[in-house]
Amino acid sequence: MRIALVHDFLNTWGGGEYVLKVFTELYPEAPIYSLTYKQAIVDEFFPGRKIIPSFLQNYPGMPDKFKYYLSFMPKAIESFDFSDYDVVLSDSSAYAKGAITKGATKHVCYLHTPTRYLWSDREEYIKNAPIPLPIIGRSVVKGIVKKLQKWDLEAAKRPDVIIANSKYIAERTRTYYHRDPEYVVFPPVNVKQFKIGTPGDYFLVLARAEPYKRTDLAIQAANKLGLKLKVVGGGTKIKYLQEMAGPNVEFLGRVSEEEKVRLFSGCLAFIFPPKEDAGITPLEAMASGRPVIAYSEGGALESVVEGETGEFFSDQTVDSLVEVLKVFDPSNYNPQKIRQHADKFDKEIFKNRIQQIVNDALSSDKR
């Protein structure tokens, strides 16, 4: 079977890139098509892989300035030729789902989310979008977004099979794309990578320092209660977060995989404040036998079991999180049972399911 992998952008490392890495384990000979890539990301996480970028890779300022080229993205993803492949397996939170296949070539899309800045976060994006030149106003951005919405709706019809990464995203797919995903398969965790250890005296947050991750809630709650908090990850809002943090909050930046394992196994609990599409980091915490304190919306509702593997706070506010932290008792949780729950999401189960779906798509006559 000749298979091509398609990804939006290989410019950073996150949950979507982890899913792609699992796909590369499943199909080690498959090339990776991506609109743009950063060599440092490829060298660290995809060494030796064949990466095929779009024409955008050579545009001025790329790949760092990719947000300035949004209107070129549809043409870029459509420029790839997949006629030599039996299957295209894309993972998409934006443009990869719009890859065009012809003839007998099947397209299976693992959908992380309908494009946020075109649908659920549209108004916020228009308000805060990066503007490359002062002469270009918000009305131009609004026009670009409207044009991209039209393309995005059409692109969502192209895959032969859509796999939603959670029931939450399946519902959003119906809402925004008016299409029922054929499957729901939650993202994986490499359970064997993580270990049950002796918990220390700190809570843990691991996320990119971006607004929607809501790390600010965990920091402010820790400040209020005087709790020790370790924050892992970098991003555009790291200085903002550091400025609000008290002496009880420690910023560790990016850490190695070995250090990540140690931090998860040693935390009192993992705090997960965002409304996330699915969420891999809660699975990593549970694979370490540690409970999760999560906001009670989005994909966390499908992975965390209240009272058994963690707790929920009902409102995305500091006060709501504080109320849960006040009464949280880590001794109420059995690390072995928490890890057993994480086993349900192990990457080997995920790989078998994806492989079955791809094989079924290849043998199907449906186009």
Side-chain angles (χ1 to χ4, degrees):
M1 177 172 57
R2 298 163 300 174
I3 188 164
L5 302 177
V6 183
H7 190 69
D8 293 317
F9 309 98
L10 271 177
N11 299 341
T12 187
W13 177 258
E17 288 69 38
Y18 176 71
V19 169
L20 174 63
K21 188 170 178 63
V22 174
F23 286 168
T24 66
E25 295 174 11
L26 192 54
Y27 302 105
E29 303 301 318
I32 300 171
Y33 289 77
S34 182
L35 292 174
T36 62
Y37 71 91
K38 283 187 177 180
Q39 192 61 50
I41 295 295
V42 173
D43 291 344
E44 183 173 357
F45 299 105
F46 301 95
R49 299 297 306 204
K50 183 178 180 181
I51 311 295
I52 302 173
S54 74
F55 59 79
L56 291 176
Q57 182 71 17
N58 297 318
Y59 274 32
M62 292 297 260
D64 291 329
K65 301 296 185 184
F66 71 96
K67 291 182 180 179
Y68 290 177
Y69 293 100
L70 287 183
S71 59
F72 294 86
M73 300 298 179
K75 185 176 180 181
I77 198 67
E78 291 171 352
S79 69
F80 289 130
D81 181 6
F82 298 110
S83 57
D84 290 336
Y85 298 99
D86 300 307
V87 176
V88 167
L89 176 59
S90 67
D91 73 289
S92 179
S93 59
Y95 299 97
K97 66 180 175 292
I100 294 175
T101 56
K102 298 177 181 178
T105 304
K106 298 297 176 69
H107 182 182
V108 177
C109 174
Y110 187 84
L111 188 65
H112 299 293
T113 178
T115 312
R116 290 189 193 95
Y117 54 82
L118 298 183
W119 305 106
S120 58
D121 300 344
R122 176 179 175 272
E123 295 306 318
E124 182 181 350
Y125 178 78
I126 290 173
K127 180 180 177 182
N128 299 310
I131 303 298
L133 294 172
I135 198 170
I136 298 178
R138 299 294 163 188
S139 61
V140 174
V141 175
K142 200 177 227 180
I144 292 172
V145 167
K146 187 173 182 179
K147 185 177 179 181
L148 287 174
Q149 278 186 315
K150 184 177 180 181
W151 178 86
D152 202 52
L153 277 171
E154 190 62 32
K157 300 175 185 176
R158 292 177 183 169
D160 298 285
V161 173
I162 286 183
I163 309 167
N165 71 347
S166 64
K167 295 175 184 176
Y168 170 64
I169 289 303
E171 184 57 38
R172 288 164 76 92
T173 303
R174 287 186 281 269
T175 298
Y176 295 120
Y177 293 154
H178 315 296
R179 173 172 177 174
D180 277 314
E182 280 74 18
Y183 303 95
V184 174
V185 181
F186 209 83
V189 61
N190 183 8
V191 175
K192 286 185 264 187
Q193 178 186 356
F194 297 91
K195 300 174 177 62
I196 294 177
T198 302
D201 61 351
Y202 62 89
F203 291 86
L204 180 67
V205 171
L206 191 155
R208 291 193 298 274
E210 303 299 341
Y212 81 97
K213 294 293 187 179
R214 299 310 311 269
T215 301
D216 58 301
L217 297 182
I219 291 172
Q220 291 179 73
N223 286 345
K224 268 194 169 185
L225 298 174
L227 300 175
K228 191 173 180 180
L229 177 69
K230 294 180 185 287
V231 179
V232 176
T236 62
K237 297 298 181 181
I238 192 69
K239 288 185 179 179
Y240 165 75
L241 295 174
Q242 288 171 336
E243 287 171 358
M244 74 167 58
N248 52 307
V249 180
E250 181 182 5
F251 291 85
L252 302 176
R254 282 191 62 191
V255 300
S256 67
E257 287 296 301
E258 293 77 12
E259 180 67 2
K260 181 175 77 170
V261 169
R262 187 189 70 78
L263 288 166
F264 269 122
S265 65
C267 71
L268 289 168
F270 179 68
I271 301 177
F272 191 65
K275 182 179 180 179
E276 195 62 273
D277 308 323
I280 293 175
T281 50
L283 298 179
E284 293 177 330
M286 291 185 286
S288 308
R290 303 315 305 151
V292 178
I293 300 174
Y295 175 47
S296 62
E297 286 199 36
L301 291 171
E302 299 170 45
S303 62
V304 179
V305 180
E306 190 168 25
E308 294 183 19
T309 71
E311 299 294 340
F312 292 107
F313 57 100
S314 58
D315 299 313
Q316 207 174 30
T317 64
V318 174
D319 288 343
S320 184
L321 176 55
V322 163
E323 289 306 308
V324 173
L325 287 170
K326 276 182 179 178
V327 297
F328 175 76
D329 184 353
S331 67
N332 289 336
Y333 299 90
N334 183 320
Q336 294 292 342
K337 286 187 177 180
I338 294 176
R339 184 178 171 92
Q340 286 172 8
H341 176 70
D343 283 336
K344 300 174 185 177
F345 302 92
D346 187 68
K347 75 170 183 176
E348 295 306 318
I349 295 173
F350 176 86
K351 285 158 73 171
N352 288 338
R353 187 71 180 115
I354 295 298
Q355 190 171 46
Q356 179 186 15
I357 291 170
V358 168
N359 290 343
D360 288 348
L362 186 61
S363 62
S364 173
D365 293 330
K366 179 183 175 183
R367 275 300 298 178

